[in-house]
Amino acid sequence: MNLEKRTISELPYVLIPKSNLKILIDTGSTKSYCNPTIAENFFQNKIRKEPFIVKTAHGSSRGNFTTLVPCEKLHVAKEKVIEEKNKDREDLPAIPPEVYVKTVQKQSKTKPKYNKEIIKTIDHELKTAQIIPRHHNTKEKIHLSNIRRPKKFSESVINAWDDTLDRSEVLTKKFGLNITREDLLTLRESNWLNDKIINFYMELIDQRSRQNHKLPTTFSFNTFLYVSLKAGGYTRVKNYTRKTDLFEKDIIFIPIFKAAHWRLITIYIKLQKIEYLDSLGKDGTDILEDIKNYLTEEHNHKKGTPLDTTNWKFTQRTDIPLQQNNDDCGVFVCQYAKSLGSSEEIQIKHSQIPEVRKLMCEEILANELL
């Protein structure tokens, strides 16, 4: 077929977004207009002799030539997007051999996540790097903006952690709780989190659930439930749920402080299981038994019959990240609940704790999870 008799719409091409570039593709078929030898002479050093496949309406054609087309407009547009994303982050640090980068696996349904990868080469002009993937399905090329960097935090966090100011000053109030500077200082450095901080944070998790109907419905008890339950039995705590039907929720969180250590109970009503999460890996058999008995009596009180737990599972999670000191148990409890409340994998690591503490302070001051 002659070139004059074919319209541009009949030729395979790639349209570069945000530019006026339209790249025609020569498939090397018998009806091709461009002899590969001619193309190689014309483009000279822009030819890459690597196998490729072009899929067209006529099927797939294989060839051994492709060309690199300069897309200056596209690079400029991309840099503007990256600059906007990075405006609240610190300057790009020197790139060490091993870094944590947000990698994307080749299946489109896989969520990006940060993994420790080894840098092979860096292209400073394009701001990209080749990594040596630890997983065979991870893409090898990344942009340097995907390297984990510390996030800048607002002046409000600096103010909240200034212990030269009035410690009794109320810096935020919601959920019937007044959070003072004294409370927020428990998030600084290696301090132990107090009840008010944990209760407020659990309320933020429930608030997120109410605002996003795609997430599981959650209900968080305050930190006094277990203490009251042990002190006075079910009678002492039966009014804790006077406005809530636990058995209509997807997930129930119970933060527990026992023997100078925070731990978390997670109840999955529909899945009929109760899990015990402890960042020190301590045994929680007695706590699981207490919560099972509480749930049985709660069902009897609300539904008129004891809860049949014959098919329920009671598990101590051993696949969770653990703390490496005696100070961060409260932080781990909050982050366990934050991840589970959004059906995400728990990925908190000990090395991230300073950054997580700052983020928690920011979230409490903003009255929402960030």
Side-chain angles (χ1 to χ4, degrees):
M1 184 181 293
N2 294 329
L3 180 62
E4 292 78 16
K5 294 182 180 180
R6 298 189 68 178
T7 64
I8 193 69
S9 61
E10 294 179 296
L11 297 173
Y13 67 88
V14 175
L15 181 63
I16 303 298
K18 297 185 179 180
S19 73
N20 296 321
L21 295 174
K22 184 177 289 186
I23 304 174
L24 295 182
I25 300 174
D26 188 280
T27 63
S29 66
T30 55
K31 296 182 179 180
S32 174
Y33 309 119
C34 186
N35 185 296
T37 304
I38 298 175
E40 188 171 12
N41 291 334
F42 180 80
F43 289 108
Q44 297 180 356
N45 295 330
K46 294 186 180 295
I47 295 293
R48 291 174 56 191
K49 295 185 178 181
E50 299 174 1
F52 70 95
I53 298 177
V54 175
K55 292 186 177 180
T56 68
H58 304 289
S60 297
S61 300
R62 297 178 182 271
N64 292 317
F65 301 98
T66 185
T67 181
L68 296 176
V69 179
C71 303
E72 188 62 33
K73 292 183 179 180
L74 186 61
H75 285 308
V76 171
K78 184 176 181 180
E79 289 302 320
K80 287 183 178 179
V81 172
I82 294 170
E83 183 179 347
E84 179 67 22
K85 286 185 176 181
N86 288 333
K87 68 179 182 179
D88 291 329
R89 295 183 179 274
E90 303 290 350
D91 293 335
L92 194 67
I95 309 300
E98 289 189 338
V99 293
Y100 282 94
V101 296
K102 185 167 65 174
T103 56
V104 182
Q105 293 196 348
K106 295 175 183 177
Q107 305 102 318
S108 59
K109 294 182 179 180
T110 304
K111 292 182 179 180
K113 61 181 180 180
Y114 283 97
N115 286 319
K116 190 175 184 180
E117 304 288 358
I118 298 175
I119 297 292
K120 185 178 180 181
T121 59
I122 297 176
D123 187 326
H124 292 284
E125 183 178 355
L126 295 179
K127 297 184 179 179
T128 59
Q130 293 288 125
I131 63 174
I132 303 175
R134 295 176 183 269
H135 190 278
H136 69 88
N137 215 23
T138 300
K139 292 184 178 180
E140 297 180 359
K141 188 176 182 180
I142 63 165
H143 195 276
L144 297 184
S145 63
N146 287 327
I147 293 176
R148 185 191 296 278
R149 288 175 288 165
K151 191 178 187 301
K152 288 183 179 179
F153 292 92
S154 67
E155 291 294 327
S156 59
V157 174
I158 299 174
N159 175 275
W161 284 357
D162 187 346
D163 55 11
T164 65
L165 300 177
D166 182 7
R167 288 174 174 258
S168 63
E169 181 183 356
V170 176
L171 299 182
T172 187
K173 56 174 66 176
K174 199 172 186 179
F175 314 120
L177 294 169
N178 293 335
I179 303 298
T180 65
R181 180 173 286 104
E182 183 77 33
D183 298 320
L184 290 172
L185 280 169
T186 67
L187 279 165
R188 194 180 71 173
E189 298 174 350
S190 59
N191 294 325
W192 290 18
L193 273 59
N194 67 11
D195 291 273
K196 287 174 65 177
I197 290 297
I198 290 184
N199 287 335
F200 197 97
Y201 202 81
M202 301 302 285
E203 289 282 2
L204 291 179
I205 293 172
D206 290 346
Q207 173 183 265
R208 178 185 63 181
S209 173
R210 292 191 296 270
Q211 293 174 346
N212 187 345
H213 299 299
K214 294 181 180 180
L215 297 179
T217 56
T218 66
F219 176 80
S220 301
F221 281 101
N222 65 37
T223 55
F224 306 113
L225 172 80
Y226 189 73
V227 175
S228 299
L229 180 66
K230 294 296 288 183
Y234 179 76
T235 304
R236 178 79 68 88
V237 300
K238 67 179 182 180
N239 289 330
Y240 274 56
T241 58
R242 64 182 182 276
K243 297 181 180 180
T244 302
D245 186 348
L246 295 182
F247 303 98
E248 293 182 353
K249 303 295 183 180
D250 294 321
I251 305 176
I252 300 164
F253 295 119
I254 307 178
I256 295 173
F257 189 72
K258 180 182 178 182
H261 176 57
W262 288 106
R263 63 286 304 277
L264 180 70
I265 284 286
T266 306
I267 304 173
Y268 298 89
I269 295 294
K270 296 177 181 178
L271 299 178
Q272 295 188 335
K273 66 177 181 178
I274 301 177
E275 294 182 343
Y276 172 80
L277 294 85
D278 192 311
S279 57
L280 286 179
K282 293 184 176 182
D283 181 76
T285 304
D286 57 335
I287 295 178
L288 283 169
E289 185 67 21
D290 291 336
I291 299 304
K292 181 186 78 170
N293 294 335
Y294 163 76
L295 206 60
T296 299
E297 294 195 60
E298 174 74 4
H299 193 276
N300 188 42
H301 177 66
K302 290 290 182 68
K303 307 296 183 181
T305 58
L307 179 67
D308 183 4
T309 59
T310 304
N311 297 321
W312 279 63
K313 295 181 179 179
F314 303 88
T315 308
Q316 300 191 53
R317 291 278 300 265
T318 58
D319 60 337
I320 55 176
L322 302 179
Q323 65 187 94
Q324 298 178 18
N325 55 29
N326 294 318
D327 308 316
D328 297 323
C329 53
V331 177
F332 273 81
V333 161
C334 290
Q335 296 308 304
Y336 289 161
K338 181 181 180 181
S339 296
L340 296 174
S342 59
S343 299
E344 294 181 352
E345 181 182 351
I346 301 173
Q347 293 187 341
I348 183 174
K349 298 178 181 179
H350 179 76
S351 60
Q352 301 169 355
I353 291 299
E355 185 177 338
V356 170
R357 282 176 173 267
K358 291 179 183 178
L359 178 59
M360 288 180 64
C361 185
E362 182 90 0
E363 290 173 322
I364 290 173
L365 290 169
N367 289 341
E368 65 176 340
L369 297 181
L370 303 175

